[in-house]
Amino acid sequence: MSQATIDADERPESLGVGADHPDYLRADSGLRSWLLTKDHKRIALMFYVGVILFLGLGGVFALVLRTELLTPEQTFIDANTYNQMFTLHGITMVWLFMIPAIPTVFGNFVLPIMLGAKDLAFPRINLASFYVYVLSAIILLGAMLAGGADTGWTFYVPYSTTSPTAVTWMGIGIFVNGISSIMTSVNFIVTTHTLRAKGLSWHRMPLFVWASYATSIIILFATPVLGMSLILIALDHAFGLTLFNPRYGGDPVLFQHLFWFYSHPAVYIMILPAFGVISEVVCSFSHNQPASYRAIAYSSLGIAFIGFFTWGHHMFVAGLSEFDAGVFGALSMFVGIFSAIKVFTWVATLRGGAISFATPMLYFLWFLFLFVFGGMTGVAVATQSLDVHWHDTYFVVAHFHFIMVGGTLTSFLAGAHYWFPKMFGRLYDERVGLLTSVAVFIGFVFTFLPQFLLGNGGMPRRYFTYPERYQWLNVLSTGGAWLLGAGLILALGNLLVALKWGKRAGPNPWGSRSFEWITASPPSKHNFEETPEIERSAYEYTLSEEVARERAKAR
């Protein structure tokens, strides 16, 4: 088979698939061709529909919670329903949206193309991972209809083993969901090792691939621990095995160790793919190479490694020794060094670049603010003396949402807009995109910034009622939540309208040098007309004369 050589002098626009080759959307027709497809791009779109639906469902649960908290006493739902709402919100958002969203949608779609491959290493496993995800969603939705759960998404014992709700089926649903994640991670790891195009060395790969690779390592080693923990809870709840009951020799704190050994690395399962998206966006829209490629790439692996040793900072009030608490706190802060490396490198990448403030770039700025703000509060809660005061208050809720939900959501939206022309061959309305991004950001800040003040003032999380002095902050938070929801609906509407009426996109509307843009938009069924041979990095940008002169002056 002939090869197309991709070097620093070629324009990616010239290497697209010819017009005689139908794109992946039209290569095969009929429902069966979609349901049984082994094309990574079609599988990515099926995941796309799923994660958007569950983002909507989790958002509805959140709006119910926030509306109930408009008043200090009962507003429109009772306490038991409230307990179930915050549990279902957490389960839906964590396992059905935030963990799978970026890897299964954008990872599935662009990672093989970035590597110069025609598909993932195991296409059938990739399709199976989607149906396992669907099965987990069916089990979880069935459990919600059969009584839901009122334990919180952490399933803490001893209550989770005696709750009258459908805890057993919730645990089984999340266990099945973890199998889907493991299948995807194995596929990404093997594909990265074995299917890179000729000439594509590790240090030429796009940074999104590095982030996906590091995430896959965490999923592969941490998820089985979660599966084991939840199966033990399910068995205990179903059969009364008293595995964590101290009266019979059990240890309830042991469950916390098992749960957080997965769930703290799960924080990085959510945010590392977001880092990958952000790295692509900042380079493409500053038209500049990263200030330090290796710093971004290796810090992803550093986070993946150190993240396994930080779970104990969730347990400062669980009876840890002072030494253990100090070690866990120090390691948690150490992760902040790797995160800071990324932030400073992204900011330095802007220097000397030809910055374009398109919608994805605006989401990068929102991500930067939320992640840095949330990260600073993360260093604070990793300090035992502060965490004891803030533990189980709204301060922790605000911290988690700023760094994890805010980071994942803004990067997901950045990727959705950035890769929209690649995935669908259309351009969305840029003015509406900019407007909705501002609405999302303002809504998010007004939702969760008041919660830092609530937590610092002593308001516990998960409470159905509260003293009247906290009402104005809760009203502000609820108003922000509705604005955030409206912004997300408008952003979705803008993209859906563009599917039908958006202007046709060229192969590379952003002028990016990353390898996924060397194909047509949308790509053909097998991605490449010719097998590519890579002779450059993914970030070799040709500077304009004006920018080059400015750089020369700076030197």
Side-chain angles (χ1 to χ4, degrees), residues 124-383:
R124 289 181 176 84
I125 291 179
N126 195 24
L127 178 62
S129 71
F130 170 71
Y131 285 113
V132 172
Y133 171 80
V134 171
L135 176 61
S136 73
I138 291 172
I139 295 172
L140 288 171
L141 289 172
M144 292 178 192
L145 296 174
D150 58 355
T151 61
W153 72 280
T154 55
F155 293 96
Y156 268 9
V157 293
Y159 181 66
S160 61
T161 60
T162 58
S163 168
T165 55
V167 172
T168 298
W169 284 105
M170 283 288 177
I172 292 172
I174 297 171
F175 177 84
V176 173
N177 184 272
I179 296 173
S180 174
S181 295
I182 291 172
M183 295 166 84
T184 299
S185 67
V186 168
N187 230 337
F188 285 178
I189 290 171
V190 175
T191 301
T192 303
H193 276 277
T194 64
L195 295 184
R196 299 195 309 275
K198 184 178 180 181
L200 184 58
S201 64
W202 283 88
H203 293 133
R204 285 180 172 175
M205 294 192 310
L207 290 165
F208 181 76
V209 178
W210 278 97
S212 300
Y213 184 82
T215 305
S216 299
I217 292 172
I218 301 175
I219 291 173
L220 195 59
F221 287 101
T223 305
V225 179
L226 172 72
M228 175 184 68
S229 306
L230 292 180
I231 285 298
L232 291 176
I233 286 292
L235 291 173
D236 205 342
H237 185 269
F239 303 111
L241 301 182
T242 65
L243 297 172
F244 301 104
N245 189 330
R247 179 180 297 178
Y248 300 97
D251 182 2
V253 177
L254 173 62
F255 174 77
Q256 293 188 37
H257 281 288
L258 293 173
F259 181 84
W260 288 113
F261 182 81
Y262 163 82
S263 293
H264 194 77
V267 167
Y268 308 117
I269 293 173
M270 301 174 211
I271 203 65
L272 272 174
F275 292 160
V277 174
I278 292 304
S279 297
E280 298 301 321
V281 167
V282 71
C283 291
S284 291
F285 289 92
S286 62
H287 299 91
N288 205 0
Q289 62 184 357
S292 175
Y293 175 96
R294 296 194 181 200
I296 295 177
Y298 292 160
S299 60
S300 295
L301 297 180
I303 289 172
F305 178 72
I306 297 297
F308 279 98
F309 302 98
T310 59
W311 78 90
H313 84 241
H314 295 273
M315 302 171 58
F316 283 152
V317 298
L320 295 180
S321 70
E322 292 297 321
F323 176 80
D324 289 346
V327 170
F328 280 124
L331 287 170
S332 299
M333 295 179 190
F334 191 53
V335 174
I337 296 174
F338 293 116
S339 300
I341 288 171
K342 289 184 179 294
V343 169
F344 288 126
T345 306
W346 290 327
V347 173
T349 300
L350 299 174
R351 182 176 180 270
I355 300 173
S356 170
F357 284 102
T359 302
M361 190 62 173
L362 209 54
Y363 277 115
F364 159 74
L365 297 177
W366 306 152
F367 171 90
L368 206 61
F369 174 83
L370 297 176
F371 180 72
V372 171
F373 195 106
M376 292 171 65
T377 61
V379 172
V381 297
T383 306

